[in-house]
Amino acid sequence: MRFRGFALIGLSLAMLVSCAPKKETGRTATMKKQSFGKTAAGVDVDLYTLANGNGVEVAITTYGGIVVSLKTPDRAGLSSDIVLGFDSLDGYLKGHPYFGALIGRYGNRIAKGRFTLNGVEYKLAVNNGENHLHGGIQGFDKVVWKARDVSTPEAASLELTYLSKDGEEGYPGNLSVTVTYTLTAKNELKIDYLATTDKDTVVNLTNHSYFNLAGQGQGDILGHEVTINAGRFLPVDAGLIPTGERKAVGGTPFDFNRPMTIGARIQQDDEQLKRGKGYDHCYILNGSGGALTPAARVHEPKSGRVMEVLTTEPALQLYTGNFLDGTLTGKGGKVYQFRYGFCMETQHYPDSPNQPDFPSVVLKPGAKYQTTTVYRFSAEAAR
Ligand code: BGC
């Protein structure tokens, strides 16, 4: 009897505790900071982990502003890491094809590493054949950013800042850059880019995450179903510089207006696919006029994971990991083979500084470069 009495009291206590309203902490979003090591020059590098309380978690390092891991739930609610990368800073320091990194000052290629602005010719590093790629030898992907926790009660937010000095990598003007990563309660990773300059310059910032919605290292991405809200794309020459043509996607393997797997047409006998070794092309987004607009949707049928991309940018580079070749071993010992990840880099058109017909990428003193891209995650039931 006595035991029964105690048991009853215990049970009622347990019920009281479980029924009591959850302690109001003010927010479910959290941010954790830890050391990620030091650069070769001895600069401290940190890793920030943002969580939203809904099973989405993103880890970002101050080295290159790199998204090191991004965990999202599949249709069964199981979270997996869906971006390629390395377990430690060392992997990134050894060199890699821009896994997860912030790209600047100019995402994508500038022909022959040259452009003329206000009658002055600027010479940039030539680091991709005869062209300039992703900001040069030491682009924004290889610098250490200053970090600040700017979270609100609703969302975990990490602000990264970097001052790119006048002449850095050949670009004019002191460029002051702020990139804010926010993990929202709606399972969105929102990236706000802001830059100002003290001299006329060119800017085109993006993020270079390689996604595999089945989980990083879990095979190639050819089965992912992609929709891109674009009626035209930019054909490229042999060095992957846009020819200037804005080609309609209709009737070509570049048409993703209706969901299509990446692999469905990638092997077609098409000159542009051959030049890119697959998709490595810039899409001109429909209706992009500075407002946040749906740009793309990706669905991975095995896991059910869905990624939507929204952006204020006029274009999106679809890159299907055509230069991955199994020489890099990433997180958890996973070997990154051919087409094990894809990128959707929101941006202005490649080589705009040399192509006056393309939307301008010139930033002047007193003006603000301001863009936003959102990667929104969810999962779909099996069809
Ligand atoms: C480019 C590719 C390049 C890759 C990694 C992408 O943004 O379009 O051509 O190989 O970045 O460097």
Side-chain angles (χ1 to χ4, degrees):
M1 272 314 263
R2 254 175 80 198
F3 281 113
R4 222 173 126 212
F6 272 124
L8 273 175
I9 293 169
L11 188 67
S12 357
L13 269 178
M15 278 172 69
L16 253 180
V17 171
S18 68
C19 293
K22 282 212 183 91
K23 198 174 159 228
E24 196 46 77
T25 54
R27 69 182 221 214
T28 46
T30 55
M31 167 127 31
K32 190 180 82 191
K33 176 185 172 186
Q34 66 198 91
S35 169
F36 202 45
K38 279 181 199 297
T39 64
V43 181
D44 285 322
V45 173
D46 292 321
L47 184 72
Y48 287 83
T49 306
L50 288 61
N52 71 351
N54 286 338
V56 178
E57 193 184 282
V58 57
I60 297 159
T61 171
T62 50
Y63 180 74
I66 293 172
V67 174
V68 170
S69 72
L70 174 58
K71 294 177 185 157
T72 73
D74 66 6
R75 68 162 67 92
L78 294 172
S79 274
S80 291
D81 186 356
I82 56 159
V83 292
L84 275 51
F86 301 101
D87 289 316
S88 68
L89 180 61
D90 225 41
Y92 293 101
L93 295 177
K94 281 187 192 140
H96 64 106
Y98 306 93
F99 289 152
L102 290 180
I103 307 292
R105 293 191 190 188
Y106 201 92
N108 221 314
R109 293 176 173 80
I110 296 180
K112 301 199 168 60
R114 276 158 200 249
F115 67 95
T116 301
L117 187 60
N118 304 331
V120 180
E121 187 182 63
Y122 293 95
K123 290 187 185 134
L124 310 170
V126 164
N127 59 335
N128 185 252
E130 55 173 16
N131 300 321
H132 174 87
L133 177 68
H134 294 334
I137 311 286
Q138 177 153 335
F140 292 179
D141 59 297
K142 294 184 195 72
V143 301
V144 180
W145 295 67
K146 279 208 184 89
R148 202 159 67 99
D149 180 350
V150 293
S151 300
T152 63
E154 291 78 38
S157 256
L158 181 69
E159 179 194 84
L160 298 175
T161 50
Y162 177 65
L163 174 67
S164 173
K165 299 246 173 74
D166 190 8
E168 188 178 277
E169 295 294 317
Y171 291 98
N174 288 296
L175 188 77
S176 171
V177 189
T178 303
V179 178
T180 308
Y181 284 106
T182 302
L183 180 59
T184 74
K186 294 183 200 150
N187 293 352
E188 297 163 326
L189 179 62
K190 178 165 165 266
I191 315 178
D192 291 299
Y193 301 87
L194 184 72
T196 53
T197 183
D198 60 1
K199 234 189 223 179
D200 287 10
T201 191
V202 296
V203 196
N204 189 28
L205 307 177
T206 193
N207 175 278
H208 209 289
S209 288
Y210 287 66
F211 298 97
N212 186 330
L213 301 185
Q216 65 94 20
Q218 303 294 325
D220 66 46
I221 44 74
L222 297 177
H224 286 56
E225 296 163 1
V226 169
T227 317
I228 301 177
N229 184 21
R232 292 182 185 272
F233 77 105
L234 299 173
V236 289
D237 68 14
L240 301 184
I241 298 291
T243 59
E245 187 193 356
R246 304 178 194 206
K247 191 175 164 115
V249 295
T252 78
F254 288 84
D255 189 353
F256 283 100
N257 279 290
R258 275 184 293 151
M260 273 284 186
T261 62
I262 293 176
R265 300 160 299 178
I266 203 166
Q267 301 294 1
Q268 278 186 16
D269 186 15
D270 175 277
E271 195 191 14
Q272 283 301 316
L273 284 174
K274 282 188 188 149
R275 288 200 173 152
K277 297 188 167 36
Y279 296 100
D280 193 355
H281 292 79
C282 194
Y283 281 82
I284 302 178
L285 298 170
N286 294 333
S288 50
L292 195 64
T293 306
R297 184 181 195 272
V298 187
H299 170 240
E300 197 287 306
K302 281 179 279 166
S303 64
R305 284 195 187 85
V306 172
M307 178 172 86
E308 290 161 272
V309 184
L310 297 95
T311 189
T312 61
E313 288 279 33
L316 175 143
Q317 179 89 3
L318 171 65
Y319 170 57
T320 49
N322 313 311
F323 293 105
L324 296 175
D325 59 5
T327 52
L328 288 173
T329 300
K331 289 177 280 187
K334 293 283 193 299
V335 177
Y336 298 143
Q337 305 284 1
F338 189 44
R339 296 181 178 151
Y340 262 40
F342 68 94
C343 304
M344 284 190 165
E345 307 152 50
T346 54
Q347 56 191 239
H348 269 61
Y349 308 179
D351 198 34
S352 299
N354 293 309
Q355 307 217 20
D357 287 347
F358 286 177
S360 172
V361 289
V362 174
L363 180 69
K364 292 179 179 288
K368 263 188 191 161
Y369 170 97
Q370 202 161 11
T371 74
T372 298
T373 292
V374 171
Y375 295 95
R376 183 187 291 154
F377 300 97
S378 56
E380 232 177 59
R383 284 172 191 162

Short mmCIF file of all heavy atoms in Angstrom, two decimals, residues 96-99 103 107-109 128 133-134 206 208 210 239-240 276 279-281 317-324 343 345 347 350, ligand 1:
data_model
loop_
_atom_site.label_atom_id
_atom_site.label_comp_id
_atom_site.label_asym_id
_atom_site.label_seq_id
_atom_site.Cartn_x
_atom_site.Cartn_y
_atom_site.Cartn_z
N HIS A 96 40.51 23.57 -51.98
CA HIS A 96 39.26 22.87 -52.34
C HIS A 96 38.50 23.77 -53.31
O HIS A 96 38.79 24.97 -53.40
CB HIS A 96 38.44 22.60 -51.07
CG HIS A 96 37.99 23.85 -50.37
ND1 HIS A 96 36.70 24.30 -50.40
CD2 HIS A 96 38.69 24.77 -49.66
CE1 HIS A 96 36.61 25.44 -49.73
NE2 HIS A 96 37.81 25.75 -49.27
N PRO A 97 37.53 23.22 -54.02
CA PRO A 97 36.81 24.03 -55.01
C PRO A 97 35.67 24.85 -54.39
O PRO A 97 34.53 24.74 -54.78
CB PRO A 97 36.29 22.99 -56.00
CG PRO A 97 36.12 21.76 -55.18
CD PRO A 97 37.13 21.80 -54.06
N TYR A 98 36.02 25.68 -53.42
CA TYR A 98 35.09 26.67 -52.85
C TYR A 98 33.91 26.05 -52.09
O TYR A 98 32.82 26.63 -52.06
CB TYR A 98 34.58 27.64 -53.94
CG TYR A 98 35.69 28.31 -54.72
CD1 TYR A 98 36.18 27.76 -55.91
CD2 TYR A 98 36.27 29.49 -54.26
CE1 TYR A 98 37.20 28.36 -56.62
CE2 TYR A 98 37.30 30.10 -54.96
CZ TYR A 98 37.76 29.53 -56.14
OH TYR A 98 38.77 30.13 -56.84
N PHE A 99 34.11 24.89 -51.47
CA PHE A 99 33.01 24.26 -50.70
C PHE A 99 32.40 25.26 -49.71
O PHE A 99 33.11 25.76 -48.81
CB PHE A 99 33.51 23.05 -49.91
CG PHE A 99 33.87 21.84 -50.73
CD1 PHE A 99 34.83 20.93 -50.28
CD2 PHE A 99 33.22 21.57 -51.93
CE1 PHE A 99 35.15 19.80 -51.02
CE2 PHE A 99 33.53 20.43 -52.68
CZ PHE A 99 34.50 19.55 -52.22
N ILE A 103 31.93 34.06 -51.73
CA ILE A 103 32.73 34.37 -52.91
C ILE A 103 32.71 35.87 -53.18
O ILE A 103 31.65 36.49 -53.23
CB ILE A 103 32.19 33.63 -54.16
CG1 ILE A 103 32.03 32.12 -53.89
CG2 ILE A 103 33.07 33.90 -55.36
CD1 ILE A 103 33.30 31.35 -53.70
N GLY A 107 32.03 36.92 -57.88
CA GLY A 107 31.66 35.52 -58.09
C GLY A 107 31.60 35.25 -59.59
O GLY A 107 31.09 36.06 -60.35
N ASN A 108 32.16 34.09 -59.98
CA ASN A 108 32.21 33.67 -61.38
C ASN A 108 33.39 34.33 -62.12
O ASN A 108 34.28 34.89 -61.50
CB ASN A 108 30.88 33.92 -62.09
CG ASN A 108 30.52 32.76 -63.02
OD1 ASN A 108 31.37 32.28 -63.77
ND2 ASN A 108 29.28 32.30 -62.97
N ARG A 109 33.36 34.27 -63.44
CA ARG A 109 34.57 34.59 -64.22
C ARG A 109 34.58 36.01 -64.79
O ARG A 109 33.53 36.55 -65.12
CB ARG A 109 34.70 33.61 -65.39
CG ARG A 109 34.99 32.20 -64.91
CD ARG A 109 35.02 31.19 -66.05
NE ARG A 109 35.47 29.90 -65.55
CZ ARG A 109 34.70 29.04 -64.90
NH1 ARG A 109 33.42 29.31 -64.67
NH2 ARG A 109 35.19 27.89 -64.46
N ASN A 128 42.15 30.78 -63.57
CA ASN A 128 41.30 29.73 -64.13
C ASN A 128 41.52 29.75 -65.63
O ASN A 128 40.89 30.55 -66.32
CB ASN A 128 39.84 30.02 -63.77
CG ASN A 128 38.90 28.92 -64.21
OD1 ASN A 128 38.13 29.10 -65.14
ND2 ASN A 128 38.96 27.78 -63.56
N LEU A 133 38.68 33.90 -61.70
CA LEU A 133 37.52 33.18 -61.14
C LEU A 133 37.38 33.46 -59.64
O LEU A 133 38.36 33.38 -58.89
CB LEU A 133 37.69 31.67 -61.37
CG LEU A 133 36.60 30.75 -60.78
CD1 LEU A 133 35.26 30.92 -61.48
CD2 LEU A 133 37.02 29.28 -60.83
N HIS A 134 36.14 33.76 -59.23
CA HIS A 134 35.76 33.82 -57.81
C HIS A 134 36.67 34.71 -56.96
O HIS A 134 37.05 34.33 -55.84
CB HIS A 134 35.71 32.41 -57.23
CG HIS A 134 34.63 31.54 -57.80
ND1 HIS A 134 33.47 32.05 -58.35
CD2 HIS A 134 34.53 30.17 -57.91
CE1 HIS A 134 32.71 31.03 -58.77
NE2 HIS A 134 33.32 29.90 -58.53
N THR A 206 28.45 35.95 -53.69
CA THR A 206 27.57 34.78 -53.63
C THR A 206 28.09 33.78 -52.61
O THR A 206 29.12 34.01 -51.96
CB THR A 206 27.42 34.13 -55.03
OG1 THR A 206 26.34 33.18 -55.00
CG2 THR A 206 28.68 33.42 -55.48
N HIS A 208 28.91 29.54 -52.20
CA HIS A 208 29.26 28.43 -53.09
C HIS A 208 29.03 27.06 -52.44
O HIS A 208 29.84 26.15 -52.61
CB HIS A 208 30.72 28.58 -53.52
CG HIS A 208 31.04 28.01 -54.86
ND1 HIS A 208 31.06 26.66 -55.09
CD2 HIS A 208 31.32 28.60 -56.04
CE1 HIS A 208 31.39 26.44 -56.36
NE2 HIS A 208 31.54 27.61 -56.96
N TYR A 210 27.92 23.35 -51.95
CA TYR A 210 27.62 22.19 -52.79
C TYR A 210 26.60 21.35 -52.03
O TYR A 210 26.89 20.86 -50.94
CB TYR A 210 28.86 21.32 -52.99
CG TYR A 210 29.93 21.86 -53.90
CD1 TYR A 210 30.66 22.99 -53.57
CD2 TYR A 210 30.26 21.18 -55.07
CE1 TYR A 210 31.67 23.46 -54.40
CE2 TYR A 210 31.28 21.64 -55.91
CZ TYR A 210 31.97 22.78 -55.56
OH TYR A 210 32.98 23.22 -56.38
N GLY A 239 36.24 28.80 -72.64
CA GLY A 239 36.79 29.15 -71.33
C GLY A 239 35.68 29.46 -70.32
O GLY A 239 35.96 29.99 -69.24
N LEU A 240 34.43 29.14 -70.66
CA LEU A 240 33.24 29.34 -69.82
C LEU A 240 32.90 30.82 -69.57
O LEU A 240 32.29 31.18 -68.57
CB LEU A 240 33.35 28.57 -68.49
CG LEU A 240 33.53 27.05 -68.63
CD1 LEU A 240 33.53 26.37 -67.27
CD2 LEU A 240 32.45 26.43 -69.50
N GLY A 276 30.63 22.84 -70.63
CA GLY A 276 30.57 22.90 -69.16
C GLY A 276 30.91 21.57 -68.50
O GLY A 276 30.93 21.49 -67.29
N TYR A 279 26.20 20.78 -66.53
CA TYR A 279 25.66 22.13 -66.33
C TYR A 279 26.67 22.97 -65.55
O TYR A 279 27.10 22.58 -64.46
CB TYR A 279 24.34 22.09 -65.56
CG TYR A 279 23.24 21.36 -66.31
CD1 TYR A 279 22.92 20.04 -66.01
CD2 TYR A 279 22.54 21.99 -67.33
CE1 TYR A 279 21.92 19.37 -66.71
CE2 TYR A 279 21.53 21.33 -68.04
CZ TYR A 279 21.24 20.02 -67.72
OH TYR A 279 20.26 19.35 -68.43
N ASP A 280 27.06 24.08 -66.13
CA ASP A 280 27.92 25.05 -65.45
C ASP A 280 27.58 26.39 -66.10
O ASP A 280 28.42 27.01 -66.75
CB ASP A 280 29.40 24.67 -65.63
CG ASP A 280 30.31 25.45 -64.69
OD1 ASP A 280 29.80 26.34 -63.98
OD2 ASP A 280 31.53 25.18 -64.67
N HIS A 281 26.32 26.78 -65.95
CA HIS A 281 25.78 27.89 -66.73
C HIS A 281 24.95 28.81 -65.88
O HIS A 281 24.36 28.40 -64.87
CB HIS A 281 24.90 27.33 -67.88
CG HIS A 281 25.70 26.60 -68.92
ND1 HIS A 281 26.13 25.31 -68.73
CD2 HIS A 281 26.15 27.00 -70.13
CE1 HIS A 281 26.82 24.93 -69.81
NE2 HIS A 281 26.85 25.94 -70.67
N GLN A 317 23.71 30.61 -61.13
CA GLN A 317 24.61 29.67 -61.80
C GLN A 317 24.28 28.27 -61.30
O GLN A 317 24.32 28.01 -60.09
CB GLN A 317 26.07 30.02 -61.46
CG GLN A 317 27.11 29.10 -62.08
CD GLN A 317 27.57 29.54 -63.47
OE1 GLN A 317 27.16 30.59 -63.97
NE2 GLN A 317 28.44 28.77 -64.09
N LEU A 318 23.92 27.39 -62.23
CA LEU A 318 23.75 25.98 -61.87
C LEU A 318 25.05 25.27 -62.22
O LEU A 318 25.47 25.27 -63.39
CB LEU A 318 22.60 25.35 -62.66
CG LEU A 318 22.47 23.82 -62.52
CD1 LEU A 318 22.11 23.42 -61.09
CD2 LEU A 318 21.43 23.27 -63.49
N TYR A 319 25.70 24.71 -61.21
CA TYR A 319 26.96 23.99 -61.42
C TYR A 319 26.78 22.60 -60.83
O TYR A 319 26.41 22.47 -59.66
CB TYR A 319 28.12 24.75 -60.74
CG TYR A 319 29.41 23.95 -60.70
CD1 TYR A 319 29.99 23.47 -61.87
CD2 TYR A 319 30.03 23.65 -59.49
CE1 TYR A 319 31.16 22.72 -61.84
CE2 TYR A 319 31.21 22.91 -59.45
CZ TYR A 319 31.76 22.45 -60.62
OH TYR A 319 32.91 21.69 -60.59
N THR A 320 27.01 21.57 -61.64
CA THR A 320 26.67 20.22 -61.19
C THR A 320 27.89 19.38 -60.77
O THR A 320 27.90 18.17 -60.93
CB THR A 320 25.84 19.49 -62.29
OG1 THR A 320 26.49 19.65 -63.57
CG2 THR A 320 24.45 20.08 -62.39
N GLY A 321 28.88 20.07 -60.21
CA GLY A 321 30.03 19.35 -59.63
C GLY A 321 30.83 18.58 -60.66
O GLY A 321 31.38 17.51 -60.37
N ASN A 322 30.94 19.17 -61.86
CA ASN A 322 31.59 18.47 -62.98
C ASN A 322 33.10 18.36 -62.84
O ASN A 322 33.73 17.60 -63.56
CB ASN A 322 31.25 19.18 -64.30
CG ASN A 322 29.77 19.49 -64.40
OD1 ASN A 322 28.95 18.63 -64.17
ND2 ASN A 322 29.43 20.73 -64.71
N PHE A 323 33.65 19.15 -61.91
CA PHE A 323 35.10 19.07 -61.71
C PHE A 323 35.46 18.25 -60.46
O PHE A 323 36.63 18.11 -60.13
CB PHE A 323 35.73 20.47 -61.62
CG PHE A 323 35.65 21.23 -62.93
CD1 PHE A 323 34.75 22.26 -63.09
CD2 PHE A 323 36.46 20.89 -64.00
CE1 PHE A 323 34.66 22.97 -64.29
CE2 PHE A 323 36.38 21.58 -65.21
CZ PHE A 323 35.48 22.62 -65.36
N LEU A 324 34.46 17.72 -59.78
CA LEU A 324 34.76 16.82 -58.65
C LEU A 324 35.22 15.50 -59.27
O LEU A 324 34.62 15.03 -60.25
CB LEU A 324 33.52 16.58 -57.78
CG LEU A 324 32.96 17.81 -57.06
CD1 LEU A 324 31.67 17.45 -56.33
CD2 LEU A 324 33.97 18.38 -56.08
N CYS A 343 25.73 23.18 -57.12
CA CYS A 343 25.67 24.53 -56.54
C CYS A 343 24.59 25.31 -57.26
O CYS A 343 24.37 25.12 -58.46
CB CYS A 343 26.98 25.28 -56.74
SG CYS A 343 28.42 24.43 -56.10
N GLU A 345 24.33 29.15 -57.35
CA GLU A 345 24.97 30.39 -56.92
C GLU A 345 24.17 31.56 -57.48
O GLU A 345 24.14 31.76 -58.69
CB GLU A 345 26.41 30.45 -57.44
CG GLU A 345 27.23 29.23 -57.09
CD GLU A 345 28.33 28.98 -58.12
OE1 GLU A 345 29.07 29.92 -58.46
OE2 GLU A 345 28.43 27.84 -58.60
N GLN A 347 23.51 35.37 -58.35
CA GLN A 347 24.53 36.35 -58.71
C GLN A 347 24.09 37.24 -59.87
O GLN A 347 23.00 37.06 -60.42
CB GLN A 347 25.81 35.62 -59.13
CG GLN A 347 25.57 34.63 -60.25
CD GLN A 347 26.77 33.70 -60.51
OE1 GLN A 347 27.29 33.68 -61.61
NE2 GLN A 347 27.18 32.94 -59.51
N PRO A 350 28.10 36.43 -65.23
CA PRO A 350 29.56 36.37 -65.31
C PRO A 350 30.09 37.40 -66.31
O PRO A 350 29.40 37.74 -67.27
CB PRO A 350 29.84 34.96 -65.83
CG PRO A 350 28.58 34.19 -65.66
CD PRO A 350 27.46 35.17 -65.62
C1 BGC B 1 32.10 27.50 -61.58
C2 BGC B 1 32.80 26.25 -62.04
C3 BGC B 1 33.96 25.99 -61.13
C4 BGC B 1 33.42 25.84 -59.74
C5 BGC B 1 34.43 25.50 -58.69
C6 BGC B 1 31.65 27.27 -60.17
O1 BGC B 1 31.04 28.41 -59.69
O2 BGC B 1 31.03 27.83 -62.39
O3 BGC B 1 33.22 26.38 -63.37
O4 BGC B 1 34.67 24.87 -61.52
O5 BGC B 1 32.77 27.00 -59.38
O6 BGC B 1 35.58 26.16 -58.79
#
